[in-house]
Structures are given as C-alpha cells and as structure tokens.
Amino acid sequence: MIYHQIRLSMRPDAPKHKVDEALGLLRRMGQEIDAVEHWAVGRDIGGDFDYGALFVVKDIDAYRAYMHAPLHRQVDEIGLPLVRNMISQDLTDDEDPEIADKIRKIHADRFAGDPALAALIEGLGSYEGSGVPNG
C-alpha cells in the first residue's frame, strides 16, 4: 500500500468559496478515482498547515493511475493557485527497493508532460516532498 498525503497552507487572500471548492474536489478524488482505496480530507492538526488530504492506493500502478487521473489535474488547476506552501509525502509498506525512485519518476513525468502544471507548482511559496527531485 502507498499512503499519499499532502499538507497545505493557504494564501491569506484565498477566497473562502474557492478554498471550499478545492476541498470539495479533493473529496471527489477520493470518491471517484477508482485507484483510491481509502481517503480523508480535512483540517490539518499539529503543524503549520491549514488542510490535508490522504489517499491510499494498492501499489505503484494504482499510484500512477491516481496521479494521472483527469480529476487530479482539475484539482491542481483550481487548488494550487490558492496554496502558499505544500508538502507531499508518501509512506509505503512496499518492500521494492526502487519504490521511492518509481514514485519520483511518476511525479517527474507528470510535470515534464504538463508545463502548465509545472508553472502552478513553481508559483507556490514552497513545495517539499515526494514530488520534488531528491524529495
């Protein structure tokens, strides 16, 4: 299993209705993306972030399907302009010694194939974690 989590702090000027829309889309990802086995979206407790989301997928193929789902890209388009800082983390019990490289490659391929998405990521105040080179 791969547990993919994002933690988000919002821009101070992010309109509440747009934040609510983005959170609703994150919830739809959990409900509608077939590769997602379990999910949670809500307030982030115990850190410098406002919200978080957790998506659990079975394996690296499901992770790829989740990352490349059209709804995921829609969430990025609407949500990332509202985000000041973001962390992307993965926890896995997969014993494949190459799993971290495979996860990084999925992110790298996604950004390389979509310059507009890469520009959205570059617009963040900070972005750390599994989607970042050497993350």
Side-chain angles (χ1 to χ4, degrees), residues 1-2 25-39 55-72:
M1 302 294 276
I2 301 171
L25 287 170
L26 282 167
R27 290 180 182 99
R28 277 188 53 204
M29 285 175 57
Q31 295 164 346
E32 297 177 18
I33 297 175
D34 290 338
V36 175
E37 306 242 342
H38 303 283
W39 63 277
F55 300 96
V56 180
V57 297
K58 184 176 181 175
D59 55 26
I60 196 68
D61 292 328
Y63 190 91
R64 184 178 300 103
Y66 158 79
M67 291 302 297
H68 288 280
L71 181 55
H72 191 173

Side-chain angles (χ1 to χ4, degrees), residues 6-23:
I6 59 170
R7 300 176 76 194
L8 312 162
S9 64
M10 308 313 282
R11 295 182 187 278
D13 61 346
K16 182 179 177 347
H17 74 280
K18 295 300 281 181
V19 171
D20 291 343
E21 178 185 8
L23 293 172

Side-chain angles (χ1 to χ4, degrees), residues 67-133:
M67 291 302 297
H68 288 280
L71 181 55
H72 191 173
R73 182 60 180 87
Q74 182 182 357
V75 170
D76 291 333
E77 190 72 31
I78 292 168
L80 286 175
L82 307 171
V83 173
R84 181 179 66 218
N85 299 316
M86 177 176 160
I87 281 184
S88 167
Q89 301 170 307
D90 293 295
L91 180 134
T92 184
D93 59 2
D94 188 317
E95 295 188 20
D96 178 354
E98 304 291 320
I99 193 73
D101 291 335
K102 290 175 181 179
I103 288 172
R104 278 192 288 275
K105 181 164 179 12
I106 289 169
H107 285 274
D109 291 349
R110 187 168 179 253
F111 295 140
D114 188 344
L117 175 60
L120 287 171
I121 292 294
E122 289 170 7
L124 298 175
S126 69
Y127 175 51
E128 300 177 19
S130 54
V132 179

